[in-house]
Amino acid sequence: MATRKNSTDDPLAPLTLAVGQEDLLLDRAVQQVVAAARASDPDTDVRDLTSDQLQPGTLAELTSPSLFAERKVVIVRNAQDLSADSVKDVKAYLGDPVEEITLVLLHAGGAKGKGLLDAARKAGAREVACPKTTKPAERLSFVRSEFRALGRSATPEACQALVDAIGSDLRELASAVSQLVADVEGTIDEAVVARYYTGRAEASSFTVADRAVEGRAAEALEALRWSLSTGVAPVLITSALAQGVRAIGKLSSARGGRPADLARELGMPPWKIDRVRQQMRGWTPDGVALALRAVADADAGVKGGGDDPEYALEKAVVAVARAARSGRQR
């Protein structure tokens, strides 16, 4: 989620710097400034420009004093791609900003255009971080924050189910949260998510993995076939299987303790500790080793080492499910 980088929290500060590559968060940073400006003055003039539209001299023209002292928001997207002359114009403006004008710079971060980034920060910009969410835990945190922002409660299992069902697109996740909040009263739980997103949730590679590590072979195979029929990449399924089995192995070898302590030790969120504890019943160290070997073989098979990726996946799912029951058969 977007986060503040300094103590300035006024959307109408002379300069807002939104840094990152997550489009939804960048758009929200812009929307917050525009909404605040229009709340102050409904006639606010908004100019939204791409880097190639901000030619040398354009910024001076847009920020020239007005006879009517109108409020204005000037947005510059992909500021890291500005020409050298346009960067000079922006830096000059930063040294002498115009009252009633808010400049919003959207910058991808990184080395390209770093001089402008540094100059904006030195000028005391209000900064909003908009990093790309690349990790499942980050998407889970995003979903939780969306529910909180809308004043609603959702169980940890519901949040995870929504991430599993929707995937990595933050716009889709935000839209799904909004739909659930609008349509459902009370706490949103896993059953509600399943009811709304049946099919998508079943197609999730993580659903395949969850059923397999729980020893539910028939359900895991059903989820696998659904996944493949709806276009889920086989490599995502082997990755999810590997993550599921490794989590079992990590927790089974960890020292006992509270979920929060184990979460820090193992690098897992506390809710996942509880879920993996339930899934690990019936697992043995030998079972973990056998399952990891089966998943590794399947991974090689789906990456070109075999003639039938679907068979390789089915074989791995069955092997993992059998390993999950190995301790119960003694």
Side-chain angles (χ1 to χ4, degrees):
M1 71 200 80
T3 55
R4 299 283 176 267
K5 294 289 285 186
N6 62 22
S7 59
T8 303
D9 197 29
D10 181 7
L12 296 182
L15 174 63
T16 286
L17 180 63
V19 183
Q21 299 179 43
E22 186 57 66
D23 290 339
L24 173 66
L25 302 184
L26 290 167
D27 286 345
R28 285 184 173 181
V30 170
Q31 291 163 8
Q32 184 184 29
V33 173
V34 172
R38 286 185 168 154
S40 175
D41 180 358
D43 295 324
T44 294
D45 181 18
V46 178
R47 303 296 180 93
D48 196 332
L49 309 173
T50 59
S51 57
D52 60 334
Q53 291 175 317
L54 193 73
Q55 296 296 317
T58 302
L59 184 61
E61 180 182 340
L62 291 174
T63 58
S64 59
S66 168
L67 291 175
F68 304 102
E70 64 181 354
R71 180 171 290 282
K72 185 179 293 186
V73 176
V74 179
I75 303 152
V76 180
R77 297 181 183 271
N78 298 314
Q80 73 278 357
D81 295 328
L82 288 172
S83 68
D85 288 337
S86 294
V87 168
K88 289 180 183 178
D89 286 352
V90 174
K91 287 182 177 179
Y93 176 80
L94 295 180
D96 188 21
V98 179
E99 191 175 355
E100 299 298 314
I101 292 180
T102 297
L103 177 62
V104 183
L105 298 178
L106 275 58
H107 195 293
K112 188 176 184 181
K114 189 174 184 297
L116 177 59
L117 196 61
D118 292 342
R121 286 168 172 161
K122 187 175 180 181
R126 165 184 176 266
E127 186 171 343
V128 181
C130 306
K132 199 76 174 175
T133 55
T134 58
K135 299 178 181 178
E138 293 170 344
R139 293 191 283 274
L140 184 61
S141 177
F142 172 80
V143 168
R144 287 172 170 168
S145 69
E146 289 292 289
F147 279 117
R148 283 197 300 269
L150 294 173
R152 293 295 296 278
S153 297
T155 66
E157 294 79 11
C159 294
Q160 183 62 52
L162 197 59
V163 171
D164 290 348
I166 301 300
S168 61
D169 191 309
L170 289 199
R171 290 188 190 278
E172 289 193 24
L173 285 169
S175 176
V177 170
S178 296
Q179 180 183 4
L180 289 169
V181 167
D183 294 353
V184 179
E185 296 182 357
T187 299
I188 295 164
D189 58 20
E190 190 174 12
V192 169
V193 175
R195 186 165 72 245
Y196 271 73
Y197 295 98
T198 296
R200 296 187 71 167
E202 290 173 355
S204 165
S205 55
F206 289 102
T207 300
V208 178
D210 283 341
R211 300 297 84 81
V213 299
E214 291 163 3
R216 295 152 66 179
E219 293 177 42
L221 288 171
E222 182 180 357
L224 171 63
R225 288 163 191 149
W226 186 284
S227 297
L228 294 174
S229 70
T230 54
V232 175
V235 68
L236 295 180
I237 298 173
T238 56
S239 175
L241 285 168
Q243 289 182 46
V245 176
R246 288 194 192 106
I248 298 287
K250 283 182 178 180
L251 190 56
S252 63
S253 61
R255 299 185 301 273
R258 297 176 303 170
D261 296 332
L262 287 170
R264 285 191 295 271
E265 180 184 342
L266 302 178
M268 299 180 190
W271 66 263
K272 190 170 184 179
I273 296 293
D274 292 333
R275 172 177 283 188
V276 176
R277 271 179 169 164
Q278 295 175 352
Q279 292 175 333
M280 65 188 288
R281 295 167 186 162
W283 281 90
T284 65
D286 287 343
V288 171
L290 288 170
L292 286 174
R293 282 198 292 272
V295 174
D297 289 343
D299 191 54
V302 303
K303 291 179 178 176
D307 297 328
D308 191 342
E310 184 172 337
Y311 173 71
L313 286 170
E314 289 182 353
K315 186 177 177 181
V317 164
V318 171
V320 171
R322 284 177 177 168
R325 298 192 302 269
S326 60
R328 305 174 197 169
Q329 296 168 354
R330 294 185 175 183

